[in-house]
């Protein structure tokens, strides 16, 4: 069984601000750092740091070598990452004094994924393999359709949620990882329990992880509902906390851990990520997660 993550790779330009800007406001930032990120890359690195061999497929632009190096340094297989002309994906991220963020995304090379490239990559995978997806690349609907045809298990983090997702046949997804906003966008429901029951009605065969910020997370499958609280830490930067959770939770499923343990592991890994700056840089190794007492 192989794991493929077909997803974005971004350069994150992270600005430290007193408070997140409101419309019309100009504010001097206190600091700027560049980190490697992208929901795709973060989730691949979280999987790799959790001990799961992962192939990342995606595209970088002319200034994106550092994204490739970061994959390699963290043990992510880069065979299916292509470098193209033009800019890489990037973000402008404001982080305030409480570690909260807001993210402006520029798709760049992530939006140059073609159907031909998707076919080339998927040729190397088969039934029994797992594909992990987010919503920061072009041709997402095509990837889902082709992966489903092959019989691959499709895991989707529909983030950021936008109109593009409406083109996707989400009934082909085996596991959703959503936050409350995405849960609302998919179901029209705001209450966590209503989001879960609506997802069950629309996608009866799918399992769901619903993350609830400070209220923890909930997992639902045909056996029932499992809840997990958060580990409280001083938030430095919440960027990639959700991606860390995603990578670690999926690793626990692959390793065959009971759901309760998987949710705990993912919650702890993501709390550690929140306690330090950056995206990929903040994701802990499994040994650290296991040895940290929170
Ligand atoms: O989930 C966090 C990620 O979202 C950041 O690393 C940024 O690149 C955006 O894609």
């Amino acid at each position: 069984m192989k794991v493929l993550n077909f997803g974005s790779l971004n350069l994150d330009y992270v600005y430290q601000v007193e408070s997140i800007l409101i419309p019309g406001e100009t504010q001097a930032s206190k600091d700027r750092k560049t980190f490697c990120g992208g929901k795709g890359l973060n989730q691949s690195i979280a999987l790799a740091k959790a001990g799961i061999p992962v192939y990342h497929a995606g595209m970088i632009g002319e200034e994106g070598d550092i994204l490739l190096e970061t994959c390699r340094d963290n043990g992510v297989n880069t065979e299916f990452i292509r470098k193209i002309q033009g800019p890489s994906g990037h973000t402008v991220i404001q982080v305030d004094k409480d570690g909260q963020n807001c993210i402006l995304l520029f798709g760049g090379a992530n939006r140059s994924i073609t159907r031909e490239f998707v076919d080339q990559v998927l040729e190397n995978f088969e039934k029994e393999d797992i594909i992990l997806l987010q919503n920061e690349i072009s041709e997402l609907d095509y990837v889902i359709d082709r992966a489903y045809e092959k019989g691959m298990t499709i895991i989707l983090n529909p983030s950021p949620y936008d109109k593009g997702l409406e083109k996707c046949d989400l009934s082909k997804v085996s596991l959703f990882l959503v936050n409350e906003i995405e849960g609302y966008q998919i179901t029209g429901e705001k209450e966590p329990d209503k989001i879960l029951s609506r997802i069950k009605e629309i996608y009866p065969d799918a399992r769901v992880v619903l993350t609830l910020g400070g209220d923890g997370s909930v997992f639902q499958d045909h056996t029932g509902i499992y809840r997990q609280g958060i580990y409280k830490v001083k938030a430095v930067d919440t960027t990639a906390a959700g991606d860390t959770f995603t990578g670690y939770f999926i690793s626990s499923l692959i390793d065959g851990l009971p759901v309760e343990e998987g949710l705990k592991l993912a919650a702890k890994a993501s709390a550690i990520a929140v306690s330090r700056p950056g995206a990929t840089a903040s994701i802990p190794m499994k040994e650290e997660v296991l040895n940290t007492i929170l």
Side-chain angles (χ1 to χ4, degrees), residues 208-276:
V208 189
V209 176
L210 175 64
T211 54
L212 302 166
D215 290 330
S217 54
V218 194
F219 174 80
Q220 170 178 276
D221 69 2
H222 67 282
T223 66
I225 286 185
Y226 305 80
R227 297 177 196 275
Q228 170 65 46
I230 58 156
Y231 289 91
K232 285 212 171 103
V233 289
K234 180 170 167 16
V236 171
D237 181 354
T238 54
T239 312
D243 300 327
T244 305
F245 189 101
T246 295
Y248 266 87
F249 185 71
I250 295 170
S251 82
S252 78
L253 295 178
I254 294 170
D255 287 338
L257 290 188
V259 171
E260 296 91 333
E261 273 182 50
L263 287 173
K264 234 182 216 127
L265 181 78
K268 206 166 159 196
S270 103
I272 296 172
V274 163
S275 70
R276 47 202 193 202

Side-chain angles (χ1 to χ4, degrees), residues 8-14 35-43 89-93 101 103-105 110 136 157 159-160 238-244 278-280:
S8 59
L9 304 103
N10 293 333
L11 292 163
D12 288 344
Y13 299 112
V14 181
F35 291 103
C36 292
K39 289 185 198 306
L41 176 56
N42 298 339
Q43 293 178 19
H90 81 252
T91 60
V92 174
I93 303 184
N101 68 21
I103 302 179
L104 175 66
L105 182 63
N110 299 309
E136 288 187 343
N157 170 219
S159 181
T238 54
T239 312
D243 300 327
T244 305
T280 57

Side-chain angles (χ1 to χ4, degrees), residues 173-184:
V173 173
S174 296
L175 170 65
F176 290 98
L177 293 112
V178 295
N179 62 23
E180 271 169 297
I181 299 171
E182 292 141 12
Y184 168 69

Side-chain angles (χ1 to χ4, degrees), residues 9 13 18 22 59 70 119 129 165 194 207 213 232 237:
L9 304 103
Y13 299 112
E18 182 61 23
I22 56 167
M59 289 192 176
T70 299
D119 291 340
D129 292 339
L165 277 164
K194 287 189 180 162
R207 297 177 290 169
K232 285 212 171 103
D237 181 354

Side-chain angles (χ1 to χ4, degrees), residues 40-227:
L41 176 56
N42 298 339
Q43 293 178 19
S44 281
I45 288 186
L47 278 164
K49 287 189 173 179
I52 302 296
V54 56
Y55 293 81
H56 190 98
M59 289 192 176
I60 56 170
E62 287 154 14
E63 80 291 43
D65 286 346
I66 189 165
L67 297 165
L68 204 56
E69 281 159 30
T70 299
C71 285
R72 290 191 181 129
D73 291 349
N74 286 283
V76 173
N77 185 304
T78 58
E79 211 176 308
F80 306 115
I81 299 179
R82 298 282 174 272
K83 185 170 178 180
I84 58 167
Q85 285 188 336
S88 289
H90 81 252
T91 60
V92 174
I93 303 184
Q94 298 175 40
V95 177
D96 74 9
K97 56 183 187 317
D98 301 317
Q100 292 307 311
N101 68 21
C102 71
I103 302 179
L104 175 66
L105 182 63
F106 172 75
N110 299 309
R111 307 300 310 175
S112 294
I113 307 288
T114 58
R115 291 181 174 207
E116 192 190 5
F117 178 59
V118 174
D119 291 340
Q120 274 168 21
V121 172
L122 291 188
E123 254 171 35
N124 301 278
F125 295 87
E126 53 196 25
K127 194 170 158 60
E128 314 306 343
D129 292 339
I130 293 175
I131 185 165
L132 170 61
L133 300 163
Q134 313 76 28
N135 187 30
E136 288 187 343
I137 56 165
S138 48
E139 298 294 352
L140 181 66
D141 54 331
Y142 186 76
V143 182
I144 291 176
D145 290 345
R146 293 290 84 79
Y148 186 79
E149 267 173 27
K150 293 187 85 85
M152 295 175 79
T153 299
I154 302 173
I155 302 180
L156 176 67
N157 170 219
S159 181
Y161 195 95
D162 66 19
K163 273 192 176 297
L165 277 164
E166 285 162 20
K167 287 203 296 180
C168 299
D169 183 354
L170 299 186
S171 69
K172 294 175 176 168
V173 173
S174 296
L175 170 65
F176 290 98
L177 293 112
V178 295
N179 62 23
E180 271 169 297
I181 299 171
E182 292 141 12
Y184 168 69
Q185 285 160 322
I186 291 177
T187 63
E189 298 288 354
K190 285 193 172 153
E191 291 288 310
D193 286 345
K194 287 189 180 162
I195 293 174
L196 290 172
S197 36
R198 185 71 189 123
I199 292 184
K200 203 175 190 174
E201 279 169 24
I202 327 174
Y203 307 116
D205 298 326
R207 297 177 290 169
V208 189
V209 176
L210 175 64
T211 54
L212 302 166
D215 290 330
S217 54
V218 194
F219 174 80
Q220 170 178 276
D221 69 2
H222 67 282
T223 66
I225 286 185
Y226 305 80
R227 297 177 196 275

